[in-house]
Amino acid sequence: MKAAELTIQELRKAYQSSDLSPSEAIRSIAESIDEVDSDIGGYLSYDLDQALADAEKADLSLPLGGVPIAIKDLINVNGHPCGCASKLLTGAYTAPYDATIIRKLREAGAIPFGRTNMDEFAMGSTNQNSGIKPCVNPHDKSRVPGGSSGGSAAVVAANTAVAAIGTDTGGSIRQPAGLCGIVGLKPSYGRVSRYGLTAFASSLDQAGPMTKTVADSALLLEAMAGSCELDSTCLDRPVGSYTKALENTDLSGVKVGIPKEYFAFGLDPAIESEVRAGISRLEAAGAELVEVEMPHTEYAVATYYVLATAEASGNLARFDGVRYGNRAESEDLLGVYTKSRAQGFGSEVKRRILLGTYVLSSGYYDAYYHRAQKVRTLIRQDFEKAFEKVDVLASPVNPLPAFKVGENSDDPVANYLADIYTISANLAGVCGISVPCGATEVEGSSLPVGLQLVGPAFGEKELLRIAHAFETSV
Ligand code: GLN
């Protein structure tokens, strides 16, 4: 039995019936990685001995007892490298503590196993900005897996992991999940602790599960969610019994909003028809479809790239070659800072630091940063108004199928526009999930299409229930 081909639920059953032990599962996953990952590039490293030592102590009575989970390379796991797929940190920084989500996953019995590839410091939507090595889409290796959690999506899709954790600042869980044909959940802002995540844009970042099924996503969220005294933005709201909520797959009485702005110009017609067919399945399961308006959607990409870069320019100031990371030689201190940063950061990260510093500079603060904050409020109000009428919103995740490797690599704006359907949920702080919804044929490859469902802040229970009903309605 190849453990990495299983879902979390299947792996747990295999443990319970003694068909497999956690150590056997981990060895089997390591074999799968060695067999196929060199062509995919989903992993940056893994520590077999450490995972086997954890497996020896696994408590199978816990909800995730002995379940190995692949972790995006920006999440601190005590004793593991945490390089953010950057030249600046890789080889020079080992995490000295567990992020809160890792502590919680361990308390539920999980074993962190493997560091997944990503766009450097989570900036990108193709994984082509990894400072270490490229990662490709397991469905067509000439195409990108999406990003920035491209490695986490690819290892789940390629069956070299049972499940993975990613982070989503503007779509980085949902977008690669959609392009790789897996389930990706971005929790509401404040549902999950950010302590121990390398910050990109602190008012937008959330970590979440990337899994083969919605049921696995519910299991992981239940373990990860909840308040954290080390992150004051993580709210003390009760964690729902997400797995229990899945039992009811009847959607009668559920109102699904269809935002017309999410089916507008620029959407690939083949994706549109798959997503519309998916929405009909929700209707067949009892849901009522309601057209809604989200009039500020067109400003979301611009708003995000002002706010996210502003926050990133501050957050990345700590990487100076002194406190963290690889240090460049220079005669004076300023030279150490500037050379370490010039050598350590890739071009997309530099572009964003420059942009972020510019929009925060005294002459431009009101024109850009302050105005973007106001537009963010309007975008949040679009969601609030929509959720007065409907329970969830349904839309595509991606306007286009996965890009070819190298396509748009010198056109950052084309990449930014690919985030059009995912970014607003981060600006509004609401939760969203990407669920596989058919495929489209492109040049002889069958490429996955994702359906995005978005729910109100802290509406994960109902969101997961509806997503599960959709997934099992096939
Ligand atoms: N693609 C978006 C960006 O490049 C989102 C990244 C993310 O969610 N981390 O900023």
Side-chain angles (χ1 to χ4, degrees), residues 210-412:
M210 303 182 72
T211 55
K212 291 171 193 170
T213 62
V214 176
D216 280 1
S217 188
L219 254 173
L220 286 182
L221 183 68
E222 217 166 290
M224 293 163 70
S227 66
C228 168
E229 60 182 22
L230 299 165
D231 173 7
S232 59
T233 65
C234 181
L235 300 186
D236 187 10
R237 299 263 298 253
V239 176
S241 54
Y242 303 121
T243 43
K244 216 163 171 12
L246 307 187
E247 286 164 16
N248 176 5
T249 52
D250 179 9
L251 296 189
S252 43
V254 169
K255 291 197 174 130
V256 176
I258 315 297
K260 65 175 196 295
E261 293 80 0
Y262 283 61
F263 290 86
F265 179 74
L267 174 60
D268 181 279
I271 293 184
E272 172 161 5
S273 79
E274 288 297 293
V275 169
R276 290 209 186 267
I279 291 172
S280 310
R281 274 165 53 198
L282 288 168
E283 201 177 15
E288 181 192 337
L289 307 183
V290 182
E291 188 163 294
V292 294
E293 283 178 19
M294 309 282 286
H296 298 95
T297 304
E298 64 175 300
Y299 307 113
V301 172
T303 305
Y304 170 86
Y305 278 95
V306 170
L307 297 178
T309 56
E311 295 186 31
S313 70
N315 277 328
L316 270 62
R318 75 194 67 185
F319 300 113
D320 55 10
V322 175
R323 285 168 294 183
Y324 298 95
N326 288 306
R327 184 176 307 164
E329 295 283 329
S330 179
E331 272 155 31
D332 57 13
L333 184 62
L334 187 62
V336 172
Y337 291 156
T338 52
K339 272 197 189 161
S340 300
R341 287 166 70 82
Q343 290 170 10
F345 288 139
S347 56
E348 183 62 27
V349 173
K350 287 178 186 157
R351 182 180 297 123
R352 297 203 187 189
I353 293 173
L354 287 173
L355 192 59
T357 311
Y358 177 80
V359 299
L360 287 176
S361 58
S362 60
Y364 297 101
Y365 182 92
D366 281 336
Y368 294 107
Y369 183 77
H370 198 208
R371 182 170 298 187
Q373 290 287 23
K374 290 183 179 169
V375 182
R376 180 178 189 170
T377 302
L378 295 173
I379 290 169
R380 203 186 58 232
Q381 288 168 350
D382 277 359
F383 282 90
E384 283 165 5
K385 281 191 199 127
F387 290 130
E388 282 169 12
K389 287 196 271 179
V390 299
D391 301 293
V392 290
L393 300 165
S395 75
V397 182
N398 297 293
L400 299 168
F403 292 141
K404 284 267 192 200
V405 170
E407 195 180 332
N408 294 334
S409 52
D410 50 5
D411 184 355

Side-chain angles (χ1 to χ4, degrees), residues 72 122-125 147-148 167-173 200 304-305 308 352 416 419 423 426:
K72 186 175 182 179
M123 297 177 186
S125 41
S148 64
T167 59
D168 191 312
T169 304
S172 280
I173 288 177
F200 162 12
Y304 170 86
Y305 278 95
R352 297 203 187 189
Y416 298 172
D419 300 328
I423 268 177
N426 300 75

